[in-house]
Amino acid sequence: MAYAYLFKYIIIGDTGVGKSCLLLQFTDKRFQPVHDLTIGVEFGARMITIDGKQIKLQIWDTAGQEAFRSITRSYYRGAAGALLVYDITRRDTFNHLTTWLEDARQHSNSNMVIMLIGNKSDLESRREVKKEEGEAFAREHGLVFMETFKRECLILTMRRMALRSVLSTRRQEALAPAVRVLAVQRAGAAVRCCAAHTERAKRG
Amino acid sequence: MSKQSDSEDFESADEGQTLQTKKEKKEIKKLAASTKNVEQTDGWDDFDIEETEAVEISKSNKKDETEKPTSQDTGWEAFDDWGENDNNKVEEVKPNTKSTKDVHKSQEQADIQAVTERLAAATTKNEGWGWGGWGVDSLLSTATAGISTLTSQVSQGISTVLETGIGAPDPEELARATKEKAVNQETNVEEQPTAQDTTFQFGSLLSGVTKFVETTGTKVISGGLDTLEVIGKKTMEVLQDGDPGLVKKRAMLGLDTEKPILSQILREAKERADEEDKMREAKREAKEVHYETLFDDFEGLVHLEALEMLSRQVSMRIEERLRSADADKRQDIKETMQQVAELCEMPEDDDDDDDDEEHGDSSKEDVFHERLQRATRDIGLKLQFQPLIKQYTDILQWLDATEVVNEKAIYKRAVSGLAQATALCVELYHKTAEMLLVKNRRSTADEADALTQLTVVLSKHVSEMATLFTEKLSKQPSEDKELINNYITNVFLEAGNSSKYVENAFQLTLPIIQIGAV
């Protein structure tokens, strides 16, 4: 399928918070989960149209297990955004958010948008993390926040995220016309132009 | 320098000699038409039209001359500007430059003569100057001499070219002329303060020659094209003089007598639209069977990208270990890495057709599954071959189906089948790499062996798949054998593409195997 832009979003968070479920909700892909646990990373994609342009949102759904942590770290590069997910029925998944955030900040480029998602908000009776806590955490760390379990809500939010990515890409294009070529070609502008960022961040 | 250029120089020398003696009347007549300043004559202005810079410099030289007529050097520098034959002229004129003001004036006269001589040249073919001597520049100056005489002169010039049998002016000559002119401009500029030193001129000429040799290549093209363009432009100018769009001339020639017929125009417009539609359709179809796009749609590209990221990160980790290790340990690591790399070298194609016979009665997909399992027996991971097997099964079923399909459908299925199989292969390497990285006990040699075997099996798989499709294509009863052959060639090309992707994925996995041993 042809597209004008490709944006990469990475889903991170503890194991079992429902990352793969979010991916399934967001994409129409019918994949057969051969294994219950994600190995390394799985992919999903969805086309959206902004300004008459076809935009491919490519989701990298990472494994939450500790063993895959270092592998996940190598996948941040070039992501336009990250979906940091916790389970509102499990306090520990909320407590681990800081380490996830550190990972994300350290291995991605500085202008990556991070969205905090409190998942499984349909299980109100088992709630362990208050919505206000999630909001406070997001405010403190400059994240976009939402609680969800609904597909429509997620798709709408992703669309807004994509809009931000488009805008930021346009800004970069205005600054450096060469970026546009890369962006249109594939893999999103961020992949290439942020390589230097990442390298610098690692060294620093 | 070639022999040819020598002879050119000789002819130029000839020109230099004749300058002061011949056709003075003619020149004076021509001069009368121009203004009193030499540099303002048409001939001069247009003479160097292809090199504006040169014109400017020579103009400034000319101005120098008029400002301080007693200066000894400016005169013959301006002379240099005349073009390709100046090295000889320089020799000729040298004594003059050292003489009195009067002589200098005659020198100036000679300059003017040189211009007018050229102007006259095209009309007086019988002068016996070879084309080689003054080359296209003369034709150019002729063409730009004056609008009134231009048409006849150009046509004459062209007929001369045809008559003499030389044909179009030799681009090399052209380039030479242009370049030498440029070189001489340079020497002029450099030489201004030391112009009296006559030997210097010779030396810089030599350097000019070598310089010229270096840059001839580009000059040949630009010079030739520029000249043609100037001639063409001027010709159109003259032809359109007082007749914009050539309306009258066309009417005169009876080109516009046919009145437009509305139905005809409409029919043509419709045909054009149909043509465009067809092209658009063809483009769309081409996109539909575009291997890379399909490979992307089947997630091959994103798996490859992820595998690249892993590979790069692991390579960096290995580098780090090498850096932090002491000399002995470093050597040890390097040797180990080399050994692993050797283990992962692809074996030569030894056709082990015998294993096909072993599975005489089992289905193709089973044979494939069996091969995959045998190859990766010792890797110590539970790999998922199911997607690959399923895709193969689907294709085999599709090929065996009795329903009649056209060759285009077969071709499409072939390309998409190969793209999908390749995407699944890349995914398999990516998953294997991830699992190896989280594996507790590494057994590098086994892993290297298994992945090498796997690569052999997968490469064979894509080429076999391509063969199945091409067999189906060649069995197709069709008139258009050429189209079928085209399709077959393309299928094999894409199969080659697939093999490359597979091998590339294997190479990316290499550091992940290596890090287990260091």
Side-chain angles (χ1 to χ4, degrees):
Chain A
M1 257 179 286
Y3 44 84
Y5 292 94
L6 183 145
F7 292 114
K8 166 181 170 181
Y9 298 97
I10 184 165
I11 309 183
I12 48 172
D14 272 9
T15 183
V17 296
K19 297 186 292 297
S20 300
C21 194
L22 278 181
L23 175 77
L24 271 175
Q25 280 182 344
F26 183 63
T27 63
D28 294 322
K29 193 182 161 197
R30 302 260 162 272
F31 74 10
Q32 318 89 347
V34 187
H35 34 254
D36 298 340
L37 290 168
T38 306
I39 292 171
V41 65
E42 299 280 352
F43 305 108
R46 188 184 177 89
M47 298 290 270
I48 61 165
T49 311
I50 291 178
D51 254 3
K53 282 198 182 79
Q54 285 281 85
I55 293 169
K56 185 171 180 174
L57 307 183
Q58 191 178 63
I59 320 289
W60 292 44
D61 168 34
T62 64
Q65 283 175 293
E66 189 58 37
F68 286 103
R69 202 62 177 264
S70 87
I71 291 180
T72 302
R73 281 190 199 113
S74 47
Y75 292 144
Y76 282 105
R77 230 175 78 168
L83 279 70
L84 174 51
V85 189
Y86 69 94
D87 180 350
I88 63 151
T89 67
R90 279 166 59 204
R91 165 70 56 183
D92 59 322
T93 65
F94 182 76
N95 292 343
H96 292 154
L97 286 180
T98 337
T99 52
W100 282 112
L101 204 57
E102 271 168 21
D103 260 17
R105 290 258 155 91
Q106 202 186 335
H107 295 95
S108 68
N109 59 303
S110 52
N111 48 16
M112 181 174 84
V113 183
I114 302 175
M115 183 158 79
L116 183 65
I117 296 177
N119 205 17
K120 308 191 187 175
S121 59
D122 50 334
L123 306 174
E124 192 57 49
S125 57
R126 287 159 51 194
R127 183 189 277 274
E128 284 183 14
V129 184
K130 278 190 222 134
K131 191 174 182 182
E132 291 72 38
E133 289 176 89
E135 279 169 352
F137 186 90
R139 214 178 306 121
E140 189 187 337
H141 295 94
L143 317 174
V144 185
F145 175 72
M146 70 177 291
E147 275 194 356
T148 186
F149 66 99
K150 278 203 189 103
R151 181 187 150 84
E152 290 70 28
C153 187
L154 182 75
I155 288 174
L156 225 90
T157 316
M158 279 306 289
R159 197 186 153 77
R160 287 183 56 188
M161 242 173 127
L163 256 162
R164 290 171 79 135
S165 305
V166 170
L167 283 174
S168 113
T169 308
R170 289 237 177 91
R171 209 163 44 235
Q172 283 168 26
E173 280 172 16
L175 293 172
V179 175
R180 187 213 310 270
V181 182
L182 292 170
V184 175
Q185 272 173 356
R186 55 170 256 82
V191 178
R192 266 76 189 180
C193 70
C194 299
H197 271 291
T198 323
E199 293 300 319
R200 224 175 297 138
K202 266 183 201 144
R203 252 180 266 129
Chain B
M1 292 295 281
S2 69
K3 205 175 169 185
Q4 187 197 3
S5 57
D6 281 348
S7 70
E8 270 171 48
D9 289 342
F10 179 73
E11 279 166 356
S12 318
D14 198 26
E15 182 188 5
Q17 278 171 336
T18 53
L19 277 180
Q20 279 129 343
T21 53
K22 279 189 176 179
K23 290 196 275 89
E24 223 150 66
K25 275 182 196 168
K26 215 174 213 168
E27 287 140 21
I28 288 161
K29 216 196 277 173
K30 291 224 168 188
L31 274 178
S34 65
T35 54
K36 59 179 175 178
N37 289 326
V38 182
E39 66 267 32
Q40 282 172 2
T41 63
D42 270 353
W44 174 255
D45 273 339
D46 294 335
F47 181 64
D48 270 332
I49 204 147
E50 80 269 41
E51 283 199 80
T52 42
E53 208 179 300
V55 172
E56 269 164 35
I57 294 168
S58 50
K59 267 188 183 172
S60 68
N61 279 342
K62 274 285 179 184
K63 269 171 200 150
D64 276 353
E65 201 179 331
T66 42
E67 273 161 30
K68 1 167 217 170
T70 45
S71 153
Q72 289 194 327
D73 46 338
T74 45
W76 75 285
E77 268 166 30
F79 204 90
D80 270 353
D81 301 341
W82 293 122
E84 72 276 12
N85 44 11
D86 26 34
N87 26 350
N88 290 289
K89 270 195 210 159
V90 166
E91 301 297 327
E92 293 279 321
V93 173
K94 234 181 269 162
N96 288 350
T97 59
K98 284 179 179 163
S99 64
T100 60
K101 199 173 164 183
D102 280 349
V103 178
H104 175 69
K105 266 184 187 166
S106 82
Q107 179 60 53
E108 210 176 324
Q109 191 85 18
D111 294 352
I112 300 158
Q113 282 167 3
V115 177
T116 47
E117 193 78 30
R118 280 155 196 290
L119 297 185
T123 46
T124 55
K125 290 180 286 185
N126 52 349
E127 282 303 309
W129 301 352
W131 275 82
W134 41 278
V136 162
D137 275 329
S138 307
L139 179 59
L140 190 58
S141 56
T142 308
T144 55
I147 285 182
S148 56
T149 53
L150 188 128
T151 323
S152 65
Q153 283 180 351
V154 166
S155 56
Q156 260 181 3
I158 289 164
S159 64
T160 311
V161 173
L162 295 174
E163 275 163 30
T164 48
I166 295 171
D170 184 359
E172 207 179 318
E173 249 174 58
L174 196 66
R176 200 181 93 79
T178 322
K179 179 59 197 169
E180 277 193 12
K181 215 178 286 165
V183 166
N184 279 309
Q185 299 297 348
E186 277 167 36
T187 35
N188 276 349
V189 173
E190 284 165 14
E191 226 190 317
Q192 213 95 14
T194 56
Q196 299 228 329
D197 181 2
T198 45
T199 53
F200 183 85
Q201 176 73 6
F202 189 64
S204 49
L205 262 174
L206 274 184
S207 74
V209 167
T210 47
K211 233 185 192 169
F212 149 67
V213 171
E214 283 163 25
T215 52
T216 303
T218 50
K219 279 283 179 184
V220 168
I221 295 160
S222 65
L225 289 180
D226 285 352
T227 310
L228 283 175
E229 198 187 347
V230 169
I231 293 172
K233 269 185 189 159
K234 279 289 171 187
T235 311
M236 279 311 282
E237 256 174 57
V238 172
L239 289 177
Q240 295 200 20
D241 194 17
D243 184 13
L246 301 174
V247 179
K248 281 181 213 153
K249 288 192 180 70
R250 283 161 71 103
M252 202 172 70
L253 292 168
L255 289 175
D256 287 339
T257 46
E258 228 175 283
K259 275 187 183 139
I261 304 159
L262 186 62
S263 64
Q264 179 75 19
I265 290 172
L266 285 174
R267 197 173 304 131
E268 278 170 13
K270 193 194 169 295
E271 273 166 18
R272 220 174 299 131
D274 285 352
E275 193 76 9
E276 276 168 18
D277 272 0
K278 229 180 258 171
M279 271 172 51
R280 214 173 295 135
E281 180 69 12
K283 258 188 195 164
R284 200 182 58 77
E285 276 185 2
K287 227 173 202 170
E288 226 170 73
V289 288
H290 190 256
Y291 180 91
E292 260 75 29
T293 313
L294 289 164
F295 182 67
D296 187 17
D297 288 348
F298 289 121
E299 291 188 343
L301 211 49
V302 72
H303 275 290
L304 193 64
E305 194 180 336
L307 180 58
E308 268 171 9
M309 288 171 139
L310 270 188
S311 184
R312 208 177 304 137
Q313 208 216 21
V314 169
S315 296
M316 268 158 55
R317 260 157 61 191
I318 294 176
E319 292 271 303
E320 239 162 67
R321 280 185 203 183
L322 270 172
R323 257 201 306 275
S324 57
D326 56 57
D328 282 353
K329 177 79 178 145
R330 192 176 302 152
Q331 193 54 36
D332 191 41
I333 293 177
K334 274 186 181 163
E335 274 168 22
T336 311
M337 299 254 300
Q338 186 54 41
Q339 282 157 10
V340 177
E342 263 172 49
L343 273 175
C344 290
E345 263 165 33
M346 293 291 285
E348 292 294 311
D349 273 339
D350 49 331
D351 276 346
D352 44 354
D353 286 346
D354 49 344
D355 76 356
D356 283 346
E357 284 156 34
E358 279 173 37
H359 314 275
D361 51 324
S362 45
S363 66
K364 280 195 169 100
E365 54 263 47
D366 284 347
V367 173
F368 178 47
H369 196 182
E370 169 75 32
R371 278 186 200 157
L372 286 171
Q373 276 179 331
R374 189 146 34 99
T376 57
R377 203 168 30 203
D378 298 326
I379 200 168
L381 298 171
K382 201 176 174 302
L383 298 178
Q384 289 293 338
F385 299 126
Q386 225 39 59
L388 265 172
I389 308 290
K390 181 164 189 314
Q391 193 245 350
Y392 194 34
T393 314
D394 287 350
I395 281 177
L396 289 171
Q397 275 170 3
W398 189 85
L399 284 169
D400 285 341
T402 43
E403 60 181 294
V404 182
V405 283
N406 68 1
E407 49 270 24
K408 174 133 207 171
I410 301 173
Y411 174 63
K412 271 188 185 172
R413 192 77 173 85
V415 176
S416 107
L418 282 170
Q420 191 180 11
T422 313
L424 289 170
C425 290
V426 173
E427 181 174 353
L428 185 59
Y429 282 103
H430 176 213
K431 282 287 146 221
T432 309
E434 286 177 331
M435 287 196 271
L436 283 175
L437 282 173
V438 296
K439 199 175 156 201
N440 287 326
R441 272 192 67 247
R442 300 290 299 266
S443 48
T444 308
D446 289 339
E447 291 162 13
D449 211 39
L451 280 173
T452 312
Q453 290 305 312
L454 180 71
T455 309
V456 174
V457 172
L458 292 177
S459 299
K460 205 170 179 182
H461 174 61
V462 287
S463 82
E464 270 178 12
M465 190 183 281
T467 310
L468 288 175
F469 278 110
T470 53
E471 274 169 4
K472 178 97 174 170
L473 274 171
S474 53
K475 275 186 209 141
Q476 198 71 7
S478 166
E479 309 285 284
D480 200 346
K481 281 289 161 213
E482 201 184 324
L483 182 75
I484 298 235
N485 281 337
N486 261 343
Y487 282 155
I488 289 176
T489 314
N490 276 349
V491 169
F492 277 126
L493 277 175
E494 302 299 13
N497 222 352
S498 297
S499 292
K500 255 187 222 121
Y501 275 112
V502 169
E503 258 177 64
N504 195 1
F506 176 47
Q507 284 309 314
L508 287 171
T509 319
L510 179 60
I512 290 138
I513 306 170
Q514 283 171 322
I515 203 168
V518 298

